Amino acid sequence: PLSPLRRSSSMDCKDGVCSMDIDAITAPVMADMEQMRMNLRDIVGRKNPLLLAAADQIFGAGGKRLRPVLVFLVARSTAQLMDMPEITDRQRRLAEITEMIHTASLVHDDVLDDCDTRRGAQTIHTLYGTRVAILAGDFLFAQSSWYLANLDNLEVIKLISQVIADFADGEISQAGALFNCDVTLEGYLEKSHNKTASLIAASCKSAAVFSEVSEDIKVDMYEYGKHLGLAFQVVDDILDFTQTEEQLGKPQGQDLASGNLTAPTIFALRRDASLRALVESQFKTEGDLEKAIAIVNEVGIEDARTLAREEADMALAALKGLPEGEAKQSLVDMVQYILERIY
């Protein structure tokens, strides 16, 4: 396996502690990202005064926007492979479509989960009401579908359309498996693929399609996105237990409290039989949830870390066919950046 912490130009080191610097990772595509952000705000706000305030909230400054960053990095690295002087307008449009689909799913997710804040900012339905949130999400899905059709590439249309179907599958399977202690790791990974990895995988592959690379490089880009997405989800699920409420911007163990059993809980259930009764009783006795969180922290986190590391190594291995350069380096560093949050 690849070592977890390599020295890189994207590292920020002080007092012997190194951390990946997201600004350095995104630097090769910073101008691309700014252009995309301005475009997106105009797309949503121009036609719809009702959605203008929501568009500012959704696409204003802030947020890491990792998905379009990955589209631009894959576009630049595969363009370099094919000796293209510049990335294409279709690749730029693809980055916008990716961000619109992701954002639509978040806006609707927050309504489903009745979340008041996301990353410390108030959510759309809290600020403007559920009606505006549902309409904003619908508009983004519809507009992204229209843009997708206009890319005039059947391979990409099929890839990205599948993502929207996967989102719904992921949400429905999650809703149907709440508090179910028999959920398997395979089931968890499939749900995580549908809810998180599918979009990243499909958009990385689509970016490569527009550089007209060979089939094996397209497959590699899909694998990179899929395994990066799964690592990202596992890390997120670990942090739900290990970070404080202040760090998370929401109560600790919220997934577990709502019955959504993620990797750390699935591993902990195998190691401590007493956890099962707590989960199946849906934490009805005071102190049950705190007990359960403590058990997961004690016996579930290490296995989940190993799983995240394995997914990360598979993502890194998929970059083998790309030429050395700043775009590829950022794709490597992105894996590191995601993993580093749990070490």
Side-chain angles (χ1 to χ4, degrees):
L2 293 132
S3 62
L5 280 174
R6 262 179 335 90
R7 284 305 295 267
S8 153
S9 58
S10 301
M11 275 194 177
D12 183 18
C13 295
K14 53 176 180 282
D15 304 330
V17 179
C18 292
S19 62
M20 302 302 290
D21 176 10
I22 191 64
D23 292 337
I25 296 172
T26 57
V29 296
M30 218 51 250
D32 301 326
M33 288 295 293
E34 188 49 31
Q35 185 184 337
M36 180 202 77
R37 193 175 71 77
M38 301 306 284
N39 274 357
L40 283 176
R41 231 175 46 189
D42 290 348
I43 290 163
V44 180
R46 194 174 54 234
K47 282 191 195 164
N48 304 284
L50 175 71
L51 299 182
L52 185 60
D56 262 343
Q57 179 74 5
I58 295 170
F59 298 121
K64 290 185 282 291
R65 309 197 199 290
L66 297 184
R67 289 156 188 81
V69 165
L70 290 166
V71 169
F72 284 127
L73 288 172
V74 170
R76 292 210 166 273
S77 196
T78 51
Q80 182 189 341
L81 179 67
M82 303 306 286
D83 291 323
M84 292 160 55
E86 187 47 83
I87 64 171
T88 67
D89 287 342
R90 285 177 173 183
Q91 286 165 323
R92 293 184 185 283
R93 182 60 97 194
L94 176 68
E96 291 170 9
I97 290 167
T98 302
E99 185 64 357
M100 288 166 92
I101 291 173
H102 172 58
T103 305
S105 74
L106 291 189
V107 173
H108 280 178
D109 257 9
D110 287 341
V111 175
L112 282 177
D113 302 340
D114 204 11
C115 288
D116 296 334
T117 59
R118 179 176 284 279
R119 297 192 200 96
Q122 283 195 290
T123 49
I124 300 300
H125 76 276
T126 312
L127 286 171
Y128 306 108
T130 301
R131 176 182 295 174
V132 170
I134 298 288
L135 290 174
D138 285 348
F139 174 80
L140 287 165
F141 275 131
Q143 191 70 42
S144 63
S145 301
W146 172 243
Y147 282 162
L148 181 59
N150 282 294
L151 289 175
D152 282 331
N153 184 298
L154 194 56
E155 185 177 5
V156 170
I157 290 170
K158 285 179 174 176
L159 276 166
I160 306 288
S161 301
Q162 182 63 50
V163 170
I164 299 178
D166 286 345
F167 272 162
D169 283 348
E171 280 298 335
I172 292 163
S173 69
Q174 179 171 308
L178 297 180
F179 299 104
N180 175 7
C181 290
D182 297 316
V183 64
T184 61
L185 192 61
E186 293 67 42
Y188 162 80
L189 287 170
E190 187 185 341
K191 182 201 73 182
S192 299
H193 174 267
N194 288 342
K195 287 191 65 178
T196 305
S198 174
L199 175 60
I200 300 174
S203 55
C204 285
K205 182 175 180 179
S206 298
V209 168
F210 289 127
S211 290
E212 299 183 14
V213 298
S214 62
E215 195 56 42
D216 55 330
I217 297 289
K218 286 186 212 171
V219 170
D220 282 347
M221 292 305 94
Y222 187 89
E223 290 299 303
Y224 171 78
K226 179 177 96 171
H227 293 298
L228 180 87
L230 289 172
F232 183 85
Q233 188 58 57
V234 174
V235 166
D236 240 26
D237 294 338
I238 291 169
L239 295 179
D240 196 49
F241 289 98
T242 59
Q243 287 193 326
T244 62
E245 187 166 342
E246 292 73 46
Q247 289 171 305
L248 285 167
K250 61 179 185 180
Q252 192 188 31
Q254 200 166 20
D255 278 330
L256 183 57
S258 63
N260 175 23
L261 308 192
T262 59
T265 304
I266 293 168
F267 285 123
L269 280 162
R270 295 175 181 177
R271 291 182 179 271
D272 188 330
S274 67
L275 180 57
R276 190 181 186 101
L278 294 171
V279 174
E280 286 179 343
S281 75
Q282 302 191 11
F283 315 113
K284 65 173 186 295
T285 311
E286 194 167 335
D288 277 2
L289 178 62
E290 290 69 24
K291 248 184 254 172
I293 290 171
I295 292 170
V296 174
N297 268 319
E298 203 174 311
V299 298
I301 299 301
E302 215 36 64
D303 289 336
R305 274 200 183 123
T306 303
L307 175 63
R309 177 79 243 160
E310 286 166 357
E311 293 295 338
D313 282 339
M314 286 189 274
L316 288 172
L319 296 173
K320 61 187 181 296
L322 294 182
E324 294 307 317
E326 57 176 15
K328 179 181 179 176
Q329 188 58 53
S330 285
L331 289 168
V332 169
D333 290 344
M334 188 67 88
V335 179
Q336 198 58 45
Y337 170 74
I338 284 167
L339 269 194
E340 188 186 62
R341 298 154 67 212
I342 51 168
Y343 284 100

